[in-house]
Each structure stands twice: as structure tokens, then as C-alpha cells.
Amino acid sequence: MAHTFDEKTTAQLNRAKEHFEQMFGKADRYLAVHAPGRSEIAGNHTDHEGGHVIAGALDVAIDAICAPNNLGVIRVASVGYDPFEVDFTNLEPSEDEFLTTKAIVRGMAANLVKLGFEPTGFDMAVVSDVPGGGGLSSSAAFEAAAGRAMEALWEGGSEISAVKLAQMSQNTENVYFGKPCGLMDQLAVCLGGLAFMNFEDSAEPKAEKLDLNFEDYGYALCLVDVGCDHVAFTDEYAAVPVEMQKVAAAFGKTRLSEVPVEDFQARVTELREELGDRALLRAIHYWYENDLVDKRWTDLQNSDIESFIALTNASGASSGMYLQNVSTSGSYQPAMLALGLAESILKGSGAVRIHGGGFGGSIQCFVPLALVETFISQMNQWFGEGACRHYAISDQGACAQWL
């Protein structure tokens, strides 16, 4: 499928080509690769429990230029980072590579080989404006970019759907990168646009897209990087699905989507003694938030933005009180501080909520357009220049195109 890149993507690809030729020399033919960052619009920690999510691809992305190298290795050079090589004769996961880009390349190669693709060496020069560790799924974007590059450069396999690419990326994130994520990040990156996702059937998740820009309804989608790489809180992040699934296991199930809330309520006293209160609170959040996702999708379909905003604030409160993925123990609470300061500017207008996995990373704010400049300026004073940015939904999902 032919893809037409917008002006911003084209400029970033041109930078990647310059970097390619600086690092590897000129090639006979170039492959352009694009994969956007993503924003979780609704559905905080619902995807891994078989629930519902609304997510959107953003106008920030990983863009890369690739070409075969006939060297038997994959060489990657990202602007601002040290280059590295991956020998694809060894495609086993290694804990020594957890949380590294090298692990992502190795994991995606392993997944494509399982599909019948025949690996060959290539070079990849990367430019990214997705904030690393800021909660916009830079890892998922790199997974999708690497996957699309290998799909185009390697022979022997067939076309990979957006859903299949997302599942391969999730496997890479879980097994090779060492992060126990759900499927939402990867599917949003691969699909592009604004999408409602249903993860009840993990083998065949369903997705429905909607053409919508929040600016048309008087609000700007702003994300604030709270200045703390959420990788630092991987253990806290990992505990969320573990505790939710302990509740499900008490009913002989694997995910909360399989447990009727009425059955849960009938056994609260027993479950408290067995699992403790926090696991139960996180389960309560799941059912509450999942219902809010459905209501907010209906609001967006009906152009009822004020109801969407009100329910987004309710979602944010649930994440803070019940899911408890905003604060950490002790005095260091960057995400909660950012939420409090954002609310002090908005004064009851718009909406604020934790974004994505939580703890570190970023917060999400829907800011009335009349307040955008003031909001961004003030948040940047508190969290550093460039911490707060106005984003837009991007229709283009992960793709590759020969130039």
C-alpha cells in the first residue's frame, strides 16, 4: 500500500536520511518507515484485563530510513544515541538487554522469523520526537517501526495486519524488553487515528475508528511530561495487572472481564482477608473505568464533548483513588503534583487524568482552547521547557514505503 507522508513526517525522514548517509554511507535505494506515538484517551489499565480502551495515534513519531547492508547484522543508529548492532543468528531473549532498544530489534526479528520471514542484514537510521519514558509509548512505536522495516526488507513472509503487528510488538515488549504491558499501546500505534478497542478476545481484538479532532469541539489535548521516566516505576506498574488478576483467579478466571461484578461484591469480606484491600480497589477501578470508556465513546460519537469531559474527570479520580497508579510512597509524587497544579490552572474547566501506565510518565489534560497558551506556559515553568505540549490525533499508523 502506498503512503503519503505529511510535511512534518517528510522533514523528519529527510533528517533520518542525512543521518543514514553520515553513519552508513549512501545506499542504492531507501525504505522510509513511520510509527507514531500514542495517547490513551480512555481506559486506564483496562486492556490487560480484557476490557475496553479509547486510544489515539499522535503527531509525534519515530521515523527511520533503512537499506540492506549485506553484512549479516542489523545496524541501528538513532540520532542522539549510541549506535548498536544485532546479530540475528541469536534471537533468544536476554535479561541483560531488558529495557533497551537492542532488545526490541531482537524481539521483532524473532517474531518475524516465526512467521516465515528470512532475515538479512540492514541498516536503520532513526529520528524520533516521541519523548522517551514520557508515557507516549516510544517503545511500542520503535517495535512497530522495526516490524514494518523487516516486513518490507525481508522475503518469505506475507503481509502483516495491524492487529498481528501489534501482537508481535506486545510479545517483544513482554518477553524481550521486559515490561508486562497489555496490547493497547501497540495496537494504537499500528492502527493510527482515534480508535475504540475491545480486548475481550485477546487473539482477535476488535477496533472501531472515529474521525475526530478535539480542537473542533473547543479543547486541546495536552500532555505533560512530569520529568520522571516511568521505567523507574516498572515494578509498581507490573503490580497492577498482577493484583487485578489475583482477584480474577479467586473466581477461577484469568482476567477481570470474565468476572461478573456482582460475584465479586458477594465475596468482598472473604477476598479482603485473602488478597488485601488494594487488589480489591484495583478491581473496583476496572469495572468502573470500563463502563466509563463505553460512555465516553458514545459521547464522542454523539459529539457530546461536555459529557466526555466530565466523565474523563471521573476516570482520573478513579485512577487516583482506586487504581492508585498516581502516587508512590514517600515524598516523591511527580504525577500527583502535576495533576494538582494542572487543576489549579483550569479551575474546574476541562479535565485532567493520569496517562497510560501511571506513576511517572505523563498526565493528560483537555484544556479549553482559550487557556492553552497560559496552561502550557505555566506547566513548563513548573516542569521544564517543553514538558507540556499540545498534541493532535494523527491518522497515519505504522507503515513503510520505498522511496
Side-chain angles (χ1 to χ4, degrees):
M1 179 187 297
H3 302 279
T4 302
F5 297 121
D6 62 20
E7 183 176 344
K8 176 179 176 295
T9 301
T10 299
Q12 193 149 277
L13 286 169
N14 286 336
R15 285 185 60 209
K17 184 180 177 184
E18 291 176 5
H19 191 58
F20 184 101
E21 293 179 349
Q22 177 183 352
M23 298 298 295
F24 306 119
K26 292 187 176 182
D28 294 332
R29 192 183 185 197
Y30 295 104
L31 178 74
V33 182
H34 172 83
R38 73 92 187 95
S39 178
E40 169 207 282
I41 304 299
N44 198 215
H45 280 275
T46 52
D47 59 332
H48 50 71
E49 297 309 300
H52 303 164
V53 172
I54 304 169
L58 297 177
D59 57 342
V60 290
I62 285 176
D63 290 296
I65 292 293
C66 307
N69 64 20
N70 301 314
L71 296 177
V73 295
I74 300 168
R75 301 191 297 182
V76 179
S78 298
V79 172
Y81 298 89
D82 293 333
F84 64 86
E85 294 184 0
V86 173
D87 179 357
F88 49 76
T89 61
N90 173 18
L91 295 179
E92 294 300 315
S94 169
E95 289 189 14
D96 292 339
E97 291 184 350
F98 277 6
L99 305 178
T100 68
T101 308
K102 181 180 285 189
I104 290 175
V105 175
R106 195 181 307 279
M108 292 307 296
N111 274 279
L112 268 83
V113 168
K114 288 177 184 176
L115 287 183
F117 285 86
E118 299 174 4
T120 56
F122 67 91
D123 295 326
M124 183 176 188
V126 181
V127 173
S128 173
D129 61 353
V130 182
L136 274 64
S137 293
S138 56
S139 59
F142 206 104
E143 288 151 9
R148 286 296 185 216
M150 294 169 189
E151 177 190 23
L153 290 162
W154 294 353
E155 297 182 352
S158 56
E159 183 177 346
I160 302 172
S161 70
V163 170
K164 183 62 179 176
L165 180 64
Q167 291 169 329
M168 295 160 60
S169 299
Q170 182 196 21
N171 172 267
T172 293
E173 185 103 1
N174 294 167
V175 177
Y176 287 80
F177 193 69
K179 184 178 177 182
C181 70
L183 187 59
M184 181 267 291
D185 294 356
Q186 288 78 9
L187 189 54
V189 167
C190 294
L191 283 172
L194 185 70
F196 173 89
M197 305 171 189
N198 182 341
F199 294 104
E200 183 176 353
D201 183 349
S202 57
E204 292 293 337
K206 297 179 175 61
E208 175 186 354
K209 295 178 71 171
L210 179 67
D211 184 9
L212 182 144
N213 291 307
F214 291 103
E215 293 87 348
D216 294 339
Y217 296 90
Y219 288 90
L221 169 61
C222 293
L223 298 172
V224 183
D225 186 336
V226 304
C228 171
D229 191 329
H230 62 182
V231 169
F233 296 109
T234 294
D235 290 344
E236 285 89 344
Y237 171 91
V240 174
V242 168
E243 293 184 8
M244 286 182 169
Q245 288 157 21
K246 283 182 178 178
V247 176
F251 294 86
K253 306 297 183 181
T254 58
R255 301 175 301 165
L256 287 175
S257 62
E258 304 165 38
V259 180
V261 66
E262 297 80 9
D263 292 356
F264 164 80
Q265 292 170 342
R267 293 178 55 187
V268 165
T269 302
E270 168 198 342
L271 292 170
R272 287 186 70 190
E273 294 180 0
E274 180 182 345
L275 302 175
D277 289 345
R278 191 173 71 173
L280 273 64
L281 284 165
R282 285 174 163 169
I284 289 169
H285 165 81
Y286 166 77
W287 287 299
Y288 182 60
E289 173 74 340
N290 205 52
D291 181 59
L292 288 178
V293 173
D294 294 345
K295 290 177 178 177
R296 278 175 282 177
W297 185 244
T298 298
D299 287 341
L300 293 176
Q301 290 177 308
N302 293 334
S303 300
D304 189 349
I305 195 68
E306 295 310 319
S307 177
F308 169 84
I309 291 295
L311 294 180
T312 296
N313 278 317
S315 165
S318 180
S319 291
M321 292 188 299
Y322 306 140
L323 183 63
Q324 297 181 27
N325 72 330
V326 180
S327 296
T328 59
S329 61
S331 63
Y332 185 53
Q333 300 186 24
M336 185 63 85
L337 177 62
L339 289 168
L341 290 170
E343 286 194 343
S344 74
I345 303 172
L346 294 178
K347 295 181 172 60
S349 64
V352 301
R353 64 190 283 271
I354 191 66
H355 181 248
F359 302 105
S362 59
I363 66 165
Q364 180 184 77
C365 309
F366 289 92
V367 181
L369 291 178
L371 286 177
V372 171
E373 289 188 12
T374 298
F375 183 86
I376 292 175
S377 175
Q378 184 61 73
M379 294 303 287
N380 283 344
Q381 285 185 37
W382 286 325
F383 290 94
E385 192 61 36
C388 181
R389 171 172 171 175
H390 176 190
Y391 292 86
I393 300 297
S394 172
D395 290 336
Q396 183 63 68
C399 62
Q401 174 78 44
W402 286 102
L403 299 179

